[in-house]
Amino acid sequence: MANDPTAPPAWHGTTILAVRKADKTVIAGDGQVSMGQTIVKGNARKVRRLAGGKVVAGFAGATADAFTLIERLETKLEQYPEQLARACVDLAKDWRTDRYLRRLEAMLIVASRTEIYTVTGMGDVLEPESGVAAIGSGGNFALAAARALLEGELDAEAIARKAMAIAADICVYTNRELVVEIV
């Protein structure tokens, strides 16, 4: 499965959640880094601001691979300022077709104030229907919780924090040490 671009992504070791509600978009990421069944770090930063703070990206997967992808995304954002969708599509195209990039094992969630995209090495650039997206081992737990909370009175940040707490209660690869960035 390693280095097989056609295999589904191996989501393990983190939870990244993006929530857009009203005029606010939030990306939250937990801080746990695991090697197998061992926690090696509890306060890692898996969420980064890009494009002068106008874009936020969170990653799951191999850290070095994710940093490579985030650097490439920053270059695309410089090339296509104010065009987040185009930058993400261009990154996904490069990721899928470039021999070196194709071997990278990570996933990204990228967001601006008005857009959220999940970007994968299989060429996917997915915009969620509900304004909520998640990746990582606890991603499905956080996604379900955030979708359930969307209809209530909570704002995007409160939804993200509560959904991540729920994911941390269920997923052993997710902790409560959050990095939360608001766009």
Side-chain angles (χ1 to χ4, degrees):
M1 184 166 117
N3 299 330
D4 180 2
T6 61
W11 292 351
H12 55 80
T14 198
T15 302
I16 304 294
L17 173 68
V19 177
R20 185 179 65 244
K21 185 174 180 183
D23 63 344
K24 190 189 288 186
T25 301
V26 175
I27 292 187
D30 78 312
Q32 185 165 306
V33 177
S34 303
M35 293 179 93
Q37 296 178 351
T38 304
I39 298 168
V40 294
K41 185 171 182 169
N43 63 347
R45 287 188 55 87
K46 302 172 196 169
V47 178
R48 304 268 191 250
R49 286 193 166 276
L50 310 171
K54 294 179 184 176
V55 173
V56 176
F59 64 86
T63 305
D65 292 356
F67 284 167
T68 299
L69 293 168
I70 286 174
E71 287 174 8
R72 294 279 183 130
L73 179 60
E74 281 184 300
T75 301
K76 298 296 182 186
L77 290 167
E78 289 170 7
Q79 187 177 358
Y80 306 115
E82 307 297 324
Q83 297 180 59
L84 182 58
R86 184 170 182 186
C88 288
V89 168
D90 215 38
L91 174 65
K93 183 176 68 173
D94 289 353
W95 193 355
R96 183 168 170 83
T97 59
D98 183 273
R99 183 168 287 191
Y100 167 73
L101 294 178
R102 197 176 356 189
R103 299 181 192 281
L104 300 182
E105 295 182 10
M107 291 185 73
L108 301 175
I109 288 184
V110 183
S112 69
R113 200 167 122 282
T114 58
E115 301 167 287
I116 297 172
Y117 298 103
T118 301
V119 185
T120 74
M122 295 177 10
D124 299 315
V125 178
L126 306 169
E127 185 173 19
E129 292 177 359
S130 62
V132 179
I135 57 174
S137 60
N140 287 335
F141 305 121
L143 179 68
R147 282 187 178 171
L149 294 167
L150 268 178
E151 300 301 319
E153 299 297 318
L154 298 176
D155 69 359
E157 181 180 2
I159 290 169
R161 288 182 182 279
K162 189 166 185 132
M164 290 294 287
I166 291 167
D169 286 343
I170 299 169
C171 178
V172 297
Y173 295 108
T174 302
N175 70 13
R176 294 177 180 272
E177 295 294 321
L178 299 182
V179 172
V180 177
E181 293 288 350
I182 302 166
V183 185

